[in-house]
Amino acid sequence: MENKTVVEKTVKTGISFGTCLAMIISYTTWKSIGWAILHGLFSWFYVIYYIIKY
């Protein structure tokens, strides 16, 4: 039971960090809150795209 709790907390933290990172990268690049929110929804997908593209 304890392992399940650790995994759930790790997944929640990872998703939150990915969203935050995507929004910061997006806002810094495009200077648009709208784009930052959209890219935040894509989370890690946008972060990986940005790393590959730029």
Side-chain angles (χ1 to χ4, degrees):
M1 193 65 128
E2 187 176 320
N3 287 338
K4 183 179 178 184
T5 304
V6 171
V7 170
E8 287 176 357
K9 286 182 181 179
T10 303
V11 169
K12 274 187 173 182
T13 304
I15 292 170
S16 299
F17 178 74
T19 301
C20 182
L21 184 60
M23 292 177 81
I24 290 170
I25 291 171
S26 178
Y27 186 77
T28 303
T29 305
W30 304 109
K31 304 290 191 249
S32 169
I33 293 174
W35 280 118
I37 292 170
L38 179 66
H39 293 146
L41 294 173
F42 290 121
S43 186
W44 283 109
F45 296 111
Y46 180 73
V47 173
I48 293 169
Y49 166 79
Y50 185 84
I51 290 170
I52 292 170
K53 182 76 174 173
Y54 301 99

